[in-house]
Amino acid sequence: MEEESTNSLQSIFESIGDPRVERTKQHQLLDIILIAILGVLCGAEGWVDVESFGNTKEAWLKTFLDLPNGIPSHDTFGRVFARIDPKQFEECFLNWVRGVTEKITGVVAIDGKTLRRSHDAANGKKALHLVSAWATENRMVLAQVAVDEKSNEITAIPELLKLLDLEGCLVTIDAMGTQRAIAAQIIEQQADYALALKENQGNLYEDVKDTFTLAQKDDFRRVEHQFYKTMEKDHGRLENRQHWLIDDREQLSYLDP
């Protein structure tokens, strides 16, 4: 990581308040935060992974972090992140992301993921479930929103979208996010969408399925469409993919006699 990038991280996240009692501190808060962020960016999926990342990269981390007592334990990471102000951390994280990505372009993939080992059985808390926005061309997580235990991704996705400048982007979401209000919000934010359509949208799913089934029987002669074909050879296997697209919603009336 370039010196300018690490300096940027440090200057942005040093504003987060430290919730710990002074006499209990063995590790600097900024060290803990930066190791966690870098670990997650490198694929860590839990605090044990973050600790492992820190131990593996300790020599490199010491080139820009103090680490007076070495790498914190996974328990320390968990305790500290459970106590810091989540809103304050989120604001700092978004400021950093905006600073390193001048403009979001291309596909923004919205996806939900449960953080491993984030549950707290003793206090009756379920594992943390996050909805994330991933910019495929920028190759960065742009923002994350936690899903309330008493809710689901449908309520978290609109909150996540509000955090993003989506103008000109293509937003992709799985079937959980295929909702009228979410589609309308994406359009309002001047972006396009590609939403998965499954059985959770019963009538629409059946209409689309039947439309394509009938259209294929007569080789799409009675319906306006687009066709794309790709061929890829990898690991000795040849993949031939064919795509038929109908981009006019009124074509669903094709089913009518």
Side-chain angles (χ1 to χ4, degrees), residues 2-246:
E2 297 180 359
E3 182 178 355
E4 182 178 350
S5 298
T6 55
N7 288 340
S8 174
L9 273 171
Q10 290 170 307
S11 63
I12 290 174
F13 286 94
E14 66 183 2
S15 63
I16 294 179
D18 195 333
R20 300 171 297 170
V21 178
E22 189 66 34
R23 61 181 172 79
T24 65
K25 299 178 183 179
Q26 296 185 22
H27 304 279
Q28 296 184 15
L29 179 63
L30 191 58
D31 289 353
I32 294 172
I33 291 174
L34 295 191
I35 293 172
I37 292 174
L38 295 173
V40 171
L41 289 175
C42 291
E45 296 185 347
W47 299 129
V48 173
D49 291 346
V50 170
E51 179 186 357
S52 177
F53 164 81
N55 288 326
T56 302
K57 300 295 184 180
E58 184 173 1
W60 171 68
L61 291 168
K62 282 184 175 179
T63 63
F64 56 90
L65 298 180
D66 292 333
L67 300 178
N69 292 299
I71 302 299
S73 69
H74 61 275
D75 288 332
T76 298
F77 283 109
R79 285 195 300 269
V80 171
F81 271 87
R83 296 178 61 188
I84 62 176
D85 186 336
K87 292 294 184 183
Q88 195 175 35
F89 179 83
E90 179 183 50
E91 182 179 350
C92 291
F93 185 83
L94 290 177
N95 286 338
W96 172 61
V97 170
R98 294 187 186 107
V100 297
T101 55
E102 296 181 1
K103 173 66 177 177
I104 305 172
T105 57
V107 175
V108 175
I110 307 297
D111 190 25
K113 185 177 184 180
T114 299
L115 187 64
R116 291 192 304 165
R117 303 184 185 93
S118 60
H119 63 281
D120 185 354
N123 294 310
K125 292 186 177 181
K126 298 179 181 179
L128 179 63
H129 189 73
L130 299 173
V131 177
S132 305
W134 170 259
T136 58
E137 291 190 15
N138 301 80
R139 299 191 61 78
M140 293 194 66
V141 174
L142 301 172
Q144 293 182 320
V145 170
V147 177
D148 190 276
E149 287 190 5
K150 298 181 180 180
S151 185
N152 55 39
E153 292 181 12
I154 295 175
T155 58
I157 290 173
E159 296 301 317
L160 177 64
L161 295 175
K162 290 178 184 177
L163 301 174
L164 306 172
D165 178 7
L166 298 172
E167 183 178 356
C169 294
L170 173 64
V171 179
T172 66
I173 312 177
D174 63 16
M176 175 64 78
T178 305
Q179 306 291 328
R180 291 178 182 269
I182 291 175
Q185 181 178 345
I186 293 172
I187 294 298
E188 185 177 335
Q189 292 185 227
Q190 300 182 15
D192 295 314
Y193 59 80
L195 306 181
L197 183 60
K198 294 185 179 180
E199 289 88 342
N200 67 319
Q201 297 287 344
N203 293 336
L204 180 58
Y205 174 81
E206 291 300 327
D207 283 351
V208 171
K209 180 180 176 181
D210 291 343
T211 295
F212 274 89
T213 298
L214 291 176
Q216 285 179 312
K217 285 183 178 179
D218 66 2
D219 200 25
F220 285 84
R221 285 190 293 269
R222 295 170 52 199
V223 60
E224 293 184 12
H225 67 284
Q226 299 178 51
F227 175 76
Y228 297 93
K229 180 178 179 179
T230 60
M231 295 187 68
E232 298 178 1
K233 186 175 182 180
D234 191 20
H235 301 293
R237 181 177 62 183
L238 182 63
E239 286 191 358
N240 182 353
R241 297 181 180 179
Q242 301 181 51
H243 312 265
W244 288 267
L245 288 79
I246 299 175

